[in-house]
């Protein structure tokens, strides 16, 4: 399906594919086994220009459009969703928030460091008791003479242990509900920022996930993105970008499942012939091909709309919903094609399934995506704050 891509986009995709095959794939299994967050590999990804790919060159980014960015994320997701998470968080959540809501001084201060990989960032929204109900933040921010002091706790924060910059969402006035929310730029090199690694995850074992305690953490007076009351808007706009990259990464999982299943089916012999000749195996492979193409086209549509400045929240939610669920289905089918061999990590398909499962939960669960889509189609607010 290359007919909509430019020569430059094809080149970027091929470069990302080669980088993934040469650098990411060979490390993925051991990093997963050891729950190892591979900072050396993160540095290589940064050197490729994949962190902050959509950030304009004047701020240190590659200045790529969203469709091209999606092509990169797909390839990295095919190799290892843990590394795709790094790209998604750094670019789609942190950098995109700074680009849209940051002052010129904030952009100049932080974006070059984030794009180069000198600094990692995290998006501290989820709390121990607050997931889908993102407006109900228990973390509190109190104004001081020099800025703000923040107290609270965050949970399941990707890259929270290694981030030098945290986007922390906090309530400034509980009586105002989501209109009192604000997003603070917190530099984590201070005693009150206390991250703890989250272990024993089903998937994404090679990613960095943190529980964060915020004890009198300070943010400067000019360390807020937007104004008081913009916090919910900052979160939702960033999640809109994050859903796009998650969807693109899940296209990579689908493609990886398809590639692995085709290869294995041609190698595996049963009843004196390749299992690729069995019609029910072909049916599973055909199903994976269908899921992969459909997910990719939905991602490309969302990217096209983003690049042309057109409304795309609904289309991005559709892409995220379908691609994440498709990744789970493809991984399950791929294990079936591999039989017992698919149940151990000699092949990547069991990791694909474990890594795909969480994508239906974060950046808005599949159920939240359906609420967003349903609200857009009916015009009726389904319990989501406007």
């Amino acid at each position: 399906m290359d007919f909509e891509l430019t020569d430059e986009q094809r080149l970027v995709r091929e470069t990302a594919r080669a980088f993934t095959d040469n650098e990411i794939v060979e490390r993925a299994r051991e990093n997963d086994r050891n729950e190892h967050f591979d900072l050396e590999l993160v540095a290589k990804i940064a050197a490729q220009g994949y962190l902050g790919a959509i950030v304009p060159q004047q701020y240190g980014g590659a200045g790529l459009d969203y469709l091209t960015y999606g092509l990169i994320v797909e390839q990295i997701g095919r190799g290892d969703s843990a590394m795709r998470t790094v790209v998604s968080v750094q670019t789609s959540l942190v950098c995109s928030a700074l680009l849209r809501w940051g002052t010129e001084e904030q952009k100049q201060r932080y974006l070059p460091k984030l794009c180069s990989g000198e600094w990692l960032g995290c998006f501290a929204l989820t709390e121990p008791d607050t997931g889908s109900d993102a407006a109900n933040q228990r973390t509190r921010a109190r104004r001081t003479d020099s800025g703000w002091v923040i107290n609270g706790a965050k949970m399941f924060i990707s890259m929270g242990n290694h981030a030098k910059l945290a986007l922390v969402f906090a309530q400034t006035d509980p009586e105002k509900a989501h209109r009192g929310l604000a997003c603070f730029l917190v530099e984590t090199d201070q005693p009150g920022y206390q991250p703890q690694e989250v272990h024993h995850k089903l998937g994404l074992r090679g990613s960095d996930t943190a529980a964060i305690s915020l004890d009198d953490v300070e943010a400067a007076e000019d360390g807020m993105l937007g104004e008081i009351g913009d916090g919910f808007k900052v979160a939702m706009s960033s999640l809109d970008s994050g859903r796009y990259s998650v969807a693109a990464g899940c296209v990579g999982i689908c493609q990886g499942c398809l590639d692995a299943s085709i290869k294995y089916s041609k190698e595996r012999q049963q009843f004196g012939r390749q299992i690729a000749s069995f019609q029910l195996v072909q049916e599973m492979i055909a199903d994976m091909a269908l899921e992969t193409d459909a997910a990719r086209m939905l991602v490309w549509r969302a990217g096209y709309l983003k690049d042309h400045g057109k409304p795309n929240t609904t289309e991005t939610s559709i892409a995220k919903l379908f691609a994440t669920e498709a990744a789970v289905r493809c991984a399950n089918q791929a294990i079936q094609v591999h039989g017992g061999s698919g149940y151990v990590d000699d092949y990547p398909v069991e990791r694909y399934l474990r890594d795909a499962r969480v994508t239906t939960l974060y950046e808005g669960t599949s159920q939240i995506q359906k609420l967003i889509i349903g609200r857009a189609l009916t015009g009726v607010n389904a319990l989501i704050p406007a």
Side-chain angles (χ1 to χ4, degrees):
M1 294 290 181
D2 289 351
F3 56 89
E4 293 188 19
L5 301 182
T6 65
D7 290 342
E8 180 181 1
Q9 288 169 332
R10 292 190 185 96
L11 177 61
V12 169
R13 183 180 61 179
E14 292 307 312
T15 302
R17 176 182 288 131
F19 175 80
T20 296
D21 289 340
N22 295 333
E23 299 289 349
I24 296 178
V25 171
E26 66 178 20
R27 297 172 181 247
R29 183 173 69 173
E30 290 304 313
N31 287 339
D32 178 78
R33 281 179 172 177
N34 299 321
E35 295 190 28
H36 173 58
F37 183 55
D38 196 336
L39 286 171
E40 181 181 349
L41 184 53
V42 171
K44 291 186 177 185
I45 291 172
Q48 288 290 114
Y50 296 157
L51 300 184
I54 57 174
V55 175
Q57 294 179 356
Q58 69 189 87
Y59 300 120
L64 299 178
D65 57 41
Y66 265 93
L67 180 54
T68 307
Y69 170 53
L71 299 175
I72 293 169
V73 176
E74 176 185 335
Q75 292 304 319
I76 296 175
R78 179 179 58 83
D80 184 6
S81 290
M83 289 297 105
R84 192 274 307 155
T85 299
V86 174
V87 177
S88 289
V89 172
Q90 189 89 339
T91 305
S92 295
L93 296 181
V94 179
C95 288
S96 74
L98 279 161
L99 275 175
R100 179 165 180 177
W101 298 94
T103 65
E104 185 62 26
E105 191 278 332
Q106 289 169 340
K107 294 176 186 178
Q108 294 285 356
R109 181 174 183 178
Y110 294 118
L111 284 174
K113 293 179 180 178
L114 294 166
C115 292
S116 69
E118 178 184 351
W119 281 23
L120 294 179
C122 70
F123 190 79
L125 177 65
T126 301
E127 298 183 350
D129 296 318
T130 301
S132 295
D133 186 11
N136 187 26
Q137 295 286 303
R138 295 192 178 185
T139 299
R140 298 289 185 258
R142 175 175 54 84
R143 191 185 290 274
T144 67
D145 292 339
S146 60
W148 296 85
V149 169
I150 304 169
N151 286 277
K154 300 294 179 177
M155 189 64 181
F156 301 128
I157 307 303
S158 295
M159 302 204 297
N161 294 293
H162 291 86
K164 294 295 183 68
L165 177 69
L167 271 58
V168 177
F169 294 84
Q171 179 61 258
T172 65
D173 186 349
E175 293 184 359
K176 293 183 178 179
H178 69 276
R179 292 182 177 83
L181 287 180
C183 177
F184 297 91
L185 297 168
V186 171
E187 297 188 15
T188 64
D189 188 17
Q190 51 180 300
Y193 182 92
Q194 300 172 342
Q196 182 177 358
E197 292 184 21
V198 175
H199 291 292
H200 314 301
K201 296 175 292 184
L202 173 68
L204 296 183
R205 293 178 179 172
S207 68
D208 170 31
T209 308
I212 303 172
S213 175
L214 304 164
D215 184 11
D216 285 343
V217 167
E218 296 182 355
E221 180 64 35
D222 61 353
M224 184 185 295
L225 278 183
E227 306 291 337
I228 294 175
D230 286 338
F232 189 76
K233 296 177 184 177
V234 175
M236 294 303 104
S237 64
S238 295
L239 289 173
D240 203 39
S241 179
R243 288 164 184 158
Y244 175 78
S245 61
V246 170
C250 283
V251 175
I253 292 178
C254 293
Q255 187 66 57
C257 290
L258 178 60
D259 293 344
S261 296
I262 292 172
K263 183 176 186 294
Y264 183 81
S265 70
K266 291 181 177 180
E267 295 171 347
R268 176 67 167 170
Q269 297 276 333
Q270 288 289 278
F271 304 103
R273 54 183 174 145
Q274 298 173 334
I275 65 171
S277 67
F278 300 154
Q279 289 179 327
L280 293 181
V281 172
Q282 292 179 0
E283 179 188 39
M284 289 187 283
I285 289 172
D287 286 343
M288 282 184 266
L290 175 62
E291 301 266 23
T292 303
D293 276 2
R296 182 177 290 119
M297 291 300 102
L298 289 172
V299 170
W300 284 15
R301 180 180 68 169
Y304 174 88
L305 293 174
K306 288 178 182 295
D307 289 334
H308 288 78
K310 297 182 179 182
N312 61 83
T313 295
T314 303
E315 290 79 6
T316 301
S317 284
I318 289 172
K320 198 270 184 183
L321 172 61
F322 186 86
T324 56
E325 295 288 351
V328 174
R329 292 191 294 266
C330 284
N332 198 44
Q333 290 274 50
I335 290 175
Q336 199 71 16
V337 171
H338 283 70
S341 296
Y343 203 68
V344 294
D345 70 0
D346 292 340
Y347 296 90
V349 291
E350 61 85 30
R351 175 168 49 84
Y352 283 143
L353 180 60
R354 290 187 289 103
D355 288 348
R357 189 62 185 83
V358 75
T359 66
T360 70
L361 303 177
Y362 61 25
E363 321 290 54
T365 65
S366 292
Q367 288 68 36
I368 289 294
Q369 304 314 313
K370 290 179 180 180
L371 289 178
I372 293 171
I373 297 162
R375 180 178 64 173
L377 295 176
T378 64
V380 178
N381 191 333
L383 303 179
I384 301 176

